[in-house]
C-alpha cells in the first residue's frame, strides 16, 4: 500500500503540531489534512476520504463522537481514532458504540499514536493499554450503562447536562436557567458523582 493518508482534528494547535511531527517521522504515514473543529473535520473527510481520521473527543461544536456518528451515518470510508483525556468507562463504551477503531489517551498519545494507526489499518481495534480493563469489562458484559446513569439524574441536573454537552460555561448555564452560579456548580458536582466522572 502507498502512504497512509491521515487527518487530525484537534483544537489545541501545539498538541496538534506535535502529533503531526511524531506521525510524519514514521515512513509510510503522511498527515494531509488538519482541522480545528468537528464541522471542518467532517467536511474534509467527506471530500478527501483519508485512510485514518484522528479526532479529539472534546472539540467545540461537533465533538469527536458526534463526528464519528456522522461518518457512520454517511458510510464514509475512514478508520476513526479518538483522542481523549477522559479515563471514563461510559465515554469509552459510547465511543466504541459509535464505531471508533481506536481509543487513545492524550497522556499516552506520543507513544501510542503510531501503533494505533498501524493497528486500525490492519483492521484491528486499538485501545490505550491503561484502559484495557474497560474493554475487558465490555467483553464480559459488565459495561457501564449510560442510560442507567442518566436515569439517576434529577430534571434540573438533566437540563444542566444538556447545556454542558453544548459547551456552555457555568455562568452561561446559570443565566439561561435563571439560577445562581453556585447552584449550577452544585448540579455539576452531583452529575459527576452520580455518573462517576472525573475532570
Amino acid at each position: 500500500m502507498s502512504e497512509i493518508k491521515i487527518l487530525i482534528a484537534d483544537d489545541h494547535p501545539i498538541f496538534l503540531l506535535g502529533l503531526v511531527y511524531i506521525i510524519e517521522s514514521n515512513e509510510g504515514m503522511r498527515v494531509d489534512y488538519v482541522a480545528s473543529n468537528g464541522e471542518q473535520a467532517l467536511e474534509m473527510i467527506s471530500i478527501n476520504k483519508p485512510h485514518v481520521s484522528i479526532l479529539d473527543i472534546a472539540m467545540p461544536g461537533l465533538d469527536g463522537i458526534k463526528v464519528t456518528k456522522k461518518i457512520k451515518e454517511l458510510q464514509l470510508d475512514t478508520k476513526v481514532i479518538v483522542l481523549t483525556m477522559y479515563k471514563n468507562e461510559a465515554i469509552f463504551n459510547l465511543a466504541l458504540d459509535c464505531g471508533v477503531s481506536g481509543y487513545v489517551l492524550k497522556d499516552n498519545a506520543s507513544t501510542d499514536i503510531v501503533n494505533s494507526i498501524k493497528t486500525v489499518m490492519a483492521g484491528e481495534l486499538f485501545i490505550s493499554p491503561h484502559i484495557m480493563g474497560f474493554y475487558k469489562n465490555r467483553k464480559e458484559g459488565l459495561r457501564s450503562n449510560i442510560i442507567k446513569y442518566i436515569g439517576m439524574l434529577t430534571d434540573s441536573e438533566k437540563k444542566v447536562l444538556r447545556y454542558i454537552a453544548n459547551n456552555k460555561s457555568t455562568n452561561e448555564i446559570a443565566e439561561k436557567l435563571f439560577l445562581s452560579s453556585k447552584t449550577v456548580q452544585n448540579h455539576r458536582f452531583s452529575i459527576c458523582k452520580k455518573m462517576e466522572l472525573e475532570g
Side-chain angles (χ1 to χ4, degrees):
M1 183 181 178
S2 58
E3 282 189 313
I4 301 169
K5 291 192 302 179
I6 299 164
L7 171 141
I8 304 177
D10 195 292
D11 60 329
H12 297 91
I14 294 174
F15 179 81
L16 192 149
L17 285 172
L19 218 52
V20 171
Y21 175 77
I22 291 167
I23 291 168
E24 293 200 331
S25 297
N26 287 265
E27 192 176 345
M29 295 184 187
R30 190 177 76 241
V31 179
D32 285 330
Y33 318 103
V34 293
S36 58
N37 60 63
E39 289 86 353
Q40 193 179 33
L42 186 59
E43 184 179 0
M44 287 181 173
I45 293 165
S46 302
I47 295 168
N48 301 298
K49 300 178 177 58
H51 298 116
V52 177
S53 297
I54 301 168
L55 310 173
D56 182 14
I57 279 187
M59 288 185 290
L62 277 181
D63 61 43
I65 289 180
K66 288 176 184 171
V67 174
T68 304
K69 282 183 181 177
K70 290 284 186 184
I71 288 169
K72 192 173 180 181
E73 286 170 15
L74 297 170
Q75 298 182 323
L76 300 175
D77 188 17
T78 187
K79 304 280 189 184
V80 176
I81 296 169
V82 291
L83 290 168
T84 182
M85 297 178 295
Y86 304 117
K87 299 174 186 175
N88 178 271
E89 195 166 356
I91 295 172
F92 170 81
N93 279 312
L94 180 59
L96 263 62
D97 288 345
C98 291
V100 305
S101 298
Y103 194 96
V104 175
L105 295 176
K106 282 194 169 184
D107 290 351
N108 309 108
S110 60
T111 53
D112 287 351
I113 198 64
V114 171
N115 283 338
S116 72
I117 294 166
K118 290 177 180 175
T119 301
V120 303
M121 285 302 294
E124 298 172 17
L125 182 67
F126 181 91
I127 297 159
S128 281
H130 288 74
I131 51 169
M132 279 303 295
F134 293 169
Y135 186 62
K136 185 181 176 188
N137 287 347
R138 182 182 175 91
K139 294 285 281 183
E140 292 176 356
L142 301 174
R143 51 177 296 177
S144 180
N145 189 333
I146 261 187
I147 305 301
K148 178 191 77 176
Y149 284 136
I150 290 175
M152 292 165 62
L153 304 181
T154 66
D155 288 343
S156 296
E157 288 166 353
K158 287 175 185 174
K159 287 177 186 174
V160 170
L161 182 61
R162 192 172 294 118
Y163 282 114
I164 292 170
N166 286 313
N167 294 311
K168 300 297 182 188
S169 69
T170 295
N171 289 338
E172 287 173 321
I173 297 169
E175 189 177 322
K176 287 183 178 294
L177 295 179
F178 304 103
L179 300 170
S180 69
S181 293
K182 183 171 174 51
T183 299
V184 174
Q185 284 283 24
N186 288 339
H187 283 318
R188 292 181 80 127
F189 176 78
S190 178
I191 290 165
C192 288
K193 189 174 179 183
K194 288 178 182 178
M195 299 187 76
E196 299 176 18
L197 297 171
E198 294 179 6

